[in-house]
Amino acid sequence: MNIIRYSRLFRWVVRAFLLVFTLSLSVVSLLGGWSAVTILNPSSNDINIPDGPIITNFDIGNSSMEIIVPFNISNGGVYALSRISLRFQVGMTFGNTSTLLNDTTTVQIFDTLQPYGSVLPGKTLKANYSGTGSLPLSEVDIYRSPNALEFYANLTFSASYSLNLYTFTVSIIKFSVGNYSWFP
């Protein structure tokens, strides 16, 4: 007669538990990763930044500008898309009259990070990012051609997915958002 000792039985129970636990975590990670990949699929249109025309309002008289970027984020996955944030930077390039050769200078007008929270599975976040900044116009060469002022934007979208196991960041760098000339 073969009697199983309690220590051997305990080891087998612990091993079985660890096997089931490890397999379940692996399945959750694989499904979460696959779901995240489907959200970031370029043909799915789940993340649209911008989602329409970018609206820029230049107020040259008051040396200020306002920019509005519409966007929408749809969560077609099985987990909440969390820690959503959008960072927007706008820079201005101009001929600088305070330098000896009117060197081209780029200044940052604004750099703002806005958090948007979470998007539950099957839901859509549709919002506008807006920001304002001041323009350093006292040193601008208004005769510079083809444009006296050129505006560029950097856009960074970041979020976490699958119970915050996956964090990703997508950036658009030096996207032209407009220009201005004093003399047509």
Side-chain angles (χ1 to χ4, degrees), residues 93-97 101-105 140-150 152 179-184:
T93 301
F94 60 95
N96 192 339
T97 58
L101 300 172
N102 286 357
D103 293 330
T104 299
T105 302
V140 172
D141 177 9
I142 63 173
Y143 301 105
R144 180 175 177 245
S145 66
N147 300 303
L149 304 175
E150 298 169 358
Y152 297 96
N179 53 55
Y180 184 82
S181 292
W182 270 269
F183 307 106

Side-chain angles (χ1 to χ4, degrees), residues 23-39 76-79 161-163 165-166:
L23 288 174
S24 65
L25 284 179
S26 298
V27 168
V28 166
S29 295
L30 288 172
L31 291 176
W34 177 254
S35 187
V37 167
T38 59
I39 287 176
V78 294
Y79 298 107
Y161 190 73
S162 183
L163 307 173
L165 291 175
Y166 301 101

